[in-house]
Each structure stands twice: as structure tokens, then as C-alpha cells.
Amino acid sequence: MRRTTLLLVLAAVVLSLGLVAGNGAGEDRPASYSEIAQTDARAASLELARQAGELADAEGTGRLAAELTRQADVLAEQSALLIRPGSLRRGVPPFEVPTADAGPASGASGADGTSGTSPTDAGYAARYVQSMAAAAHASLDAAMRADAGTARLLAATGAAQQVLAVRAAVAAGLNPPQAWEPVAPAGSDARCVPETSATDSGLTGAPSSAPSGAASSVPSGAASSVPSGAASGTGGSAPDAAAALKGAIDAEYGAAYAYEVAMARASGVSARTELDEARDSHLAAGAQGVLLLPEVCLPALTRAPAYSLPPSFQQDPSGALEDLEASLPAVYADLAALGSGAVRAWAVERLAQLSTELYSGQRAVPTAPGLGQETEGLPRSPGTA
């Protein structure tokens, strides 16, 4: 009797606290947005890896078969990277999964009108490219709303899938899918109280309304005036987002400066034109970042007149520029995690854009561009280590 009474009391306490069976890590536990997005992304990677392997086997030999074999490996690695510890949710791919017994009415039509439900169908490659693009766009979209760590992961894996979609389309003789574009997010509601201080970044100058050469006005008190995560509620603090955004702008302007130095040493017209185009691209990206400084409670600033280039630049400018470009995705992967709103949108879009530029050609596609990569190849602003 005593034992029965004790068990009844304990059961009542457990029920009153809401600690019922199934809550916690079970499948019936309400999943967060980030968990849903990550598990769906993993399900997409698993399914796409399967499709890539089947299509490669059906092709046998040739450029498309070789490309799809490599893509199957990348996607398998992605699926392992996207495992969410503690979650039992299976995930649902953001595209229709083809089945062997599906008829033409239930399958998406390929470029030639066939259903593309089997690796031997003429439309299967087109369907694979469409599914890959859909998975990439879904992950990049989800990165806009997910928590900081998940946003960084989804932005990186989504960027890689966008590259894979382009490469598969080219190998199959199809038109590349449209690049992802972010939906313009709402601006930050954070209110800042600027305090005059010297800037600690390579950016110099002053707000656009100030005379050229005036001292910069940087809100050093942002940490006290902006609550942590105020910009988006995703977990990144405003001071961290500000530092990451200033770092990205310095990276772009530093890259432009490196190309200027390389142009001064180049002799051929073709080489100088190519370097000039790359310089203009980085200058434009830096200018875009400057426009976002008010989002993290900083004024618009002008770029530094010079940047410290790595020692390797003197011996091998071409190799140093390649290292510089390869280092940039890591800058934007970090900014995607720390930023919010328009800042995160720019970071995710820039990460996807840079990844496409870097890896659409012969270079191997990483599992998650920007993750686990160093930024040692980037020029440094004056006065930084």
C-alpha cells in the first residue's frame, strides 16, 4: 500500500510538471524551426546522394558520370555533417522523391517532357538538377531564420548544393538553374546610442555627412545599448555582428587593394583587365557592406588607403590571390551566423555567390564552403595582427 501510494504521488508530480513520456528527444516532441530545417536538409542530402549514385551508374562513363560520382561523395559527407544530435526527426526533402513505380502523371517532367522517375529516363538528369537547386534554395532560405549555428551550417551546405546544381547542369548539357536571391528582410529594431571613439578596423574616415578626413564616430557603447540578439533573436550579439561585418568589409576592400597591387606589376593587357574586373567586384561588395553598417549601429565609413598583404604576395602574387579568394567564404559563413536581418541576407548571398565563382570550374567542391577554413590568406588592415 505504501509503495502504491508513493508511485501515485510521483506520477502526479511528473504529470504536473509536464514531463510525460515522449517529451524530450522523442519524435512527438515539438521540433524547433532550426531542427526542422536541418533535418530536412539532411534528408535532402541523403536522397540526392542516392540519386547521384544511381544516375552515375546508369551513365557508366563520361563527364556526367564522373561529375555525379564526385557529387554523391560530397552529398554523403553533407548528410553526416547535417546530423542533429538528440533529434529523431527523419526530415522531408523539399522536392518530390522519384519512385520506380511512379507514372508520368506523378513525376515531374524533364527537359524533354519525360517523367524522369528512373536513372535511365532522359529527364532524370534534369529532375536531379531541379531537385538539387530546390534543396539549395530551401537551405539558404532556412539560414535566414535559423539559430546562429544552424544558419552557418545551412548557408554553407546550401551554397555547396547550388554549385553542385550548376556543375551537374553543365555536365548534362542543361541550362544552369537560377541563383538564389534572398527575400528582403525587415530591418533591425535595435536603437543605439553612439559614442565617439576611434575605429579599431581598417576602415577609416567618417559618416558620409562628415567632411572627408574627419575622425570616425563609432559607437563603442553598442554592447550596453543593444541587447544580445536584439537584431534577430537568433543568438548573435550586436557587438559580434558589428565586428564580423567590419571584418567582411575589410576583407573585400583588402582584396581590392591586393588586386590593385597585382595590376601595377602585370604587363599584359589581358591580365590587367582580368585583375581590374576582380578589383571592381570586391570594391562593389565592400560598398554593399558599408551600406549595412547602420544595421549594426555603426556609421558609414570609407576604406583604408592601404592594407598589409601576406608575405607570400611578394614571391607569388597569383598564388596569393588564389589563397585570398579561397579564404573569403569563411568570412561570410561567420557573418551569416553572427548577423541578422539584412546583414545575414547579404552574408548568405555573398557566400553562395563566392562559392559558385570558386567551385563551378575544375576545382573540387567542399562539403560546406567556409566551414573549417582559415582566413590567413586575407590582407590585414593596418594595425591588426
Side-chain angles (χ1 to χ4, degrees):
M1 177 67 73
R2 183 179 302 171
R3 180 180 300 173
T4 301
T5 303
L6 181 60
L7 290 175
L8 290 174
V9 171
L10 181 60
V13 172
V14 170
L15 289 173
S16 67
L17 293 176
L19 301 177
V20 296
N23 283 354
E27 291 188 13
D28 55 345
R29 168 181 58 81
S32 67
Y33 178 86
S34 294
E35 180 180 354
I36 293 172
Q38 185 170 334
T39 51
D40 285 354
R42 180 171 186 267
S45 293
L46 284 170
E47 172 58 25
L48 288 168
R50 182 188 70 80
Q51 292 184 24
E54 289 185 350
L55 185 53
D57 291 342
E59 286 290 319
T61 59
R63 179 183 179 185
L64 180 59
E67 175 61 32
L68 291 170
T69 299
R70 291 191 295 266
Q71 292 200 11
D73 293 337
V74 173
L75 292 162
E77 293 172 0
Q78 274 194 358
S79 67
L81 187 64
L82 287 164
I83 293 175
R84 192 174 182 95
S87 175
L88 299 180
R89 188 176 182 278
R90 291 181 180 275
V92 180
F95 52 81
E96 184 180 356
V97 177
T99 56
D101 57 349
S106 63
S109 296
D112 60 351
T114 59
S115 64
T117 57
S118 168
T120 57
D121 292 338
Y124 195 90
R127 183 187 178 97
Y128 171 79
V129 171
Q130 294 167 2
S131 297
M132 182 72 74
H137 291 186
S139 289
L140 295 171
D141 284 338
M144 295 294 299
R145 294 179 52 192
D147 62 63
T150 307
R152 187 172 187 264
L153 178 60
L154 293 177
T157 54
Q161 288 177 346
Q162 179 167 280
V163 178
L164 295 179
V166 171
R167 291 175 63 116
V170 172
L174 304 170
N175 293 327
Q178 185 175 1
W180 176 82
E181 294 181 1
V183 176
S188 169
D189 294 330
R191 291 183 174 85
C192 306
V193 181
E195 296 182 10
T196 302
S197 69
T199 177
D200 59 354
S201 116
L203 301 172
T204 61
S208 55
S209 59
S212 176
S216 301
S217 175
V218 179
S220 60
S224 60
S225 60
V226 182
S228 176
S232 68
T234 56
S237 65
D240 288 341
L245 178 56
K246 291 194 322 187
I249 297 170
D250 265 338
E252 294 288 3
Y253 281 150
Y257 175 76
Y259 278 102
E260 289 174 0
V261 175
M263 284 174 59
R265 301 180 179 183
S267 56
V269 175
S270 176
R272 289 178 59 86
T273 300
E274 184 177 348
L275 293 170
D276 188 47
E277 291 176 352
R279 167 188 173 273
D280 289 345
S281 176
H282 288 294
L283 283 176
Q288 289 179 330
V290 168
L291 294 177
L292 293 171
L293 285 171
E295 295 287 332
V296 292
C297 312
L298 295 178
L301 303 171
T302 58
R303 67 181 182 125
Y307 288 79
S308 300
L309 300 177
S312 60
F313 197 90
Q314 299 295 329
Q315 292 78 27
D316 183 13
S318 178
L321 288 174
E322 290 184 4
D323 292 341
L324 183 157
E325 296 289 354
S327 299
L328 284 171
V331 173
Y332 287 99
D334 289 343
L335 184 58
L338 296 171
S340 60
V343 174
R344 178 177 286 187
W346 180 62
V348 174
E349 183 178 28
R350 189 72 177 130
L351 174 60
Q353 180 185 20
L354 286 168
S355 299
T356 301
E357 293 173 357
L358 281 169
Y359 305 115
S360 290
Q362 298 300 317
R363 189 178 302 186
V365 183
T367 305
L371 270 61
Q373 292 177 298
E374 301 294 336
T375 59
E376 294 180 355
L378 292 176
R380 301 298 177 182
S381 57
T384 60

